[in-house]
Amino acid sequence: MLGGTGILLGVAAGPAQAAEVSYATRCVPPPASGLGPVDGTTKVEITAPATAKVGEEVEVVWKFLRAASKNPDLIDLPANSVQPSGTLKAAGAQTAAVAMQGPRENPAIPKGGDMVLSDMKGELKLTAPGQVTLTPDAYDINVMSTDTKCAPTGAVQPGATITVTAGDGTATPTPTPTPTSTSSPSESPDPTGTPGTPSASASESGGSGGSGGSDTGGTGGGGGQTDFTGKEVQVPYACKTPIGDKSATSPVQIDAKKNGGSFDLTVRFGASVMDSPADIPKGSVKPSMEVVLGGADKGTVHVEGPVNDEDIKSGQPIEIPDLTGTYKPGASGKSTLSPGVLTVKALGTTTTCTPTKSEASLTLDTTEQAGGASGGSGGSGGSGTSGGSGGSSTSGGLAATGAEDDGTLKALGLVAGTAVLLGGAVFAFMPGRRMR
């Protein structure tokens, strides 16, 4: 048995060899990021068998010693959110493009930190005797849902060479370069670029923004009724994101429950679901809104949702939870409640979305309470800004802060059924009834 094993090992692939190679690289982020190309130097180590024979399928390993760019100074990338893939060129005795891919495994990468990419592996079936060279080529860096594409800008030296023997154990040499570790003469320190930015396309569950004039949604508050259901309104948002102004439309509904002289409010978002493109740690997402009062009352009411209390695994649905708060009326009469400024804090970033039009979701019969809203801050910590006139399709005092295109916001993660870009990562915060 031992003798037979020795014979088998003798004709199998030989010991592995590893060689380093550096080459000038240009990385191009997705167009939606608004960021330009990044020029840098990629340094890798290619590992492959030194010898093998025709018919064998050998494994090749591509290890990143340095990526061409760093994580931009926008957002911390969570662990296991980055995945590399690329192509290794085989030449000489045979020509082939070897597909390489690494697992989505990385430590947390801080803003401005060096990119840490997992080892990529691929397999090559040997078909002819002679020398086969292996040269690293283009590669992609996928961050949560979209790719930044990196490609050589000049000649690249082979990273490894396999001597392939025929079935009788003889080799037919092929005149090809030997592995050489070189550095591009234009090599420069790692610039701060982007390893990849979010890119996702979402179909909105609603239509265009509110156009109702006298329609003020659900009405209640009088008699013995205690629960009041608002109508779902389409809210066109202009969003201030970490990388610029964006716009989108989201369906929103405001419900109320009478509690003494006050009302407990619940703001719900249209039910749409999108899977998370990567792991999102618990306690990293916090949504809130300022509900705008109109009609008899004036001011705003602050409502907010809980942070996600569990990790959200890649592939699991993400939903915006219900936002809740308390409205204490500051005036008697018919008071309207309209969706106002939406804020989402996630992983150290803040995105603020302001309606470009206002439409009331709910109208209540209110009775003035001591210390109530009228003209000031309402409920549990409003902002004290002046409210608009409920039911109007005009701005109602909510200033537009960006483009007024209410179409689908592409290349962005979703927040409140719309979209928001969070720097180098995309998080699909889709509206729904509960945060998972």
Side-chain angles (χ1 to χ4, degrees), residues 125-275:
K125 186 170 184 177
L126 303 173
T127 59
Q131 301 264 304
V132 177
T133 61
L134 302 172
T135 303
D137 195 40
Y139 60 92
D140 295 345
I141 303 175
N142 181 277
V143 180
M144 297 187 177
S145 70
T146 189
D147 292 326
T148 286
K149 296 185 177 297
C150 302
T153 56
V156 183
Q157 295 295 321
T161 300
I162 304 174
T163 299
V164 184
T165 61
D168 60 1
T170 61
T172 304
T174 303
T176 54
T178 55
T180 305
S181 176
T182 62
S183 295
S184 168
S186 62
E187 179 174 341
S188 58
D190 289 344
T192 298
T194 176
T197 51
S199 171
S201 177
S203 296
E204 298 161 1
S205 58
S208 60
S211 60
S214 61
D215 185 357
T216 56
T219 303
Q225 186 177 359
T226 59
D227 294 300
F228 311 99
T229 302
K231 74 169 183 176
E232 186 177 81
V233 295
Q234 304 298 323
V235 184
Y237 279 112
C239 298
K240 294 287 188 181
T241 81
I243 66 167
D245 295 348
K246 307 296 176 183
S247 61
T249 297
S250 177
V252 184
Q253 177 179 320
I254 302 174
D255 298 335
K257 182 179 181 65
K258 194 170 179 61
N259 184 3
S262 300
F263 296 87
D264 295 330
L265 302 184
T266 300
V267 178
R268 310 180 192 276
F269 297 87
S272 299
V273 176
M274 180 176 179
D275 292 343

Side-chain angles (χ1 to χ4, degrees), residues 81-115:
S81 62
V82 181
Q83 182 177 36
S85 61
T87 302
L88 194 70
K89 289 184 175 179
Q94 72 179 85
T95 302
V98 183
M100 309 291 291
Q101 187 172 61
R104 196 178 293 277
E105 293 178 359
N106 62 278
I109 303 175
K111 302 173 186 176
D114 292 334
M115 288 300 299

